Amino acid sequence: MTGAKTAVEWLASVAPDPEACRREWERNPLGVALLPAGSAWDVLILPGELGYATLDVLSRVLDQPGPVLVDFGDARMGFFVPPGTAARWLGTGIRTAGAGTWIVVPYPGRSSPGGVRWLVPPDGSGTLTDPALLELAMHEAAAGPATEHDG
């Protein structure tokens, strides 16, 4: 539980009122809270199919990627990256959440039925995915199936 508690503190630290954030996680039947992006992290939002393939590539080259969310139905995945990444991101078909945006964040360490959930929960240390490495993993993931069919 220590890791989850540390992760809760790390996530709640970006909220305008961290204590209210923790209460929201406790009271909300879905176990989610709305948090601002752009101060401790940005989020790059990939289509689900590309996101899963990208996470697979990242998992082969990193011991621990940064936190990764997936939405209900696995249609979209959100990779937590350093703040400022969203403002500089040029990739086509990738949505971003940075300064001035808010995202739905589930309580770490607790699974909620349906809705948003963690594929890679935060560990509380502030680990984020390097955007350059994420981009390379996306390219490899996107090219992977074509390469397999070619040879």
Side-chain angles (χ1 to χ4, degrees):
M1 185 61 175
T2 304
K5 181 175 171 67
T6 305
V8 167
E9 298 305 316
W10 179 71
L11 288 168
S13 71
V14 303
D17 181 346
E19 191 55 42
C21 174
R22 287 188 283 279
R23 282 193 308 272
E24 180 67 18
W25 270 322
E26 293 299 321
R27 293 179 183 157
N28 185 309
L30 296 176
V32 298
L34 200 57
L35 292 177
S39 62
W41 33 260
D42 283 359
V43 182
L44 296 182
I45 304 162
L46 283 60
E49 189 174 327
L50 176 60
Y52 275 104
T54 299
L55 183 57
D56 182 56
V57 172
L58 281 174
S59 296
R60 286 185 262 140
V61 297
L62 291 174
D63 289 334
Q64 177 70 28
V68 180
L69 291 172
V70 65
D71 72 354
F72 177 74
D74 296 356
R76 289 179 299 276
M77 290 176 65
F79 290 79
F80 281 48
V81 294
T85 301
R88 296 184 304 273
W89 192 260
L90 299 174
T92 304
I94 307 303
R95 294 174 51 198
T96 63
T101 63
W102 294 70
I103 63 167
V104 174
V105 178
Y107 186 91
R110 185 185 313 149
S111 59
S112 61
V116 177
R117 68 186 188 284
W118 293 107
L119 282 181
V120 179
D123 61 9
S125 70
T127 299
L128 300 169
T129 299
D130 179 289
L133 187 57
L134 179 60
E135 183 176 15
L136 290 173
M138 287 170 40
H139 285 290
E140 183 174 327
T147 307
E148 289 173 15
H149 294 302
D150 291 345

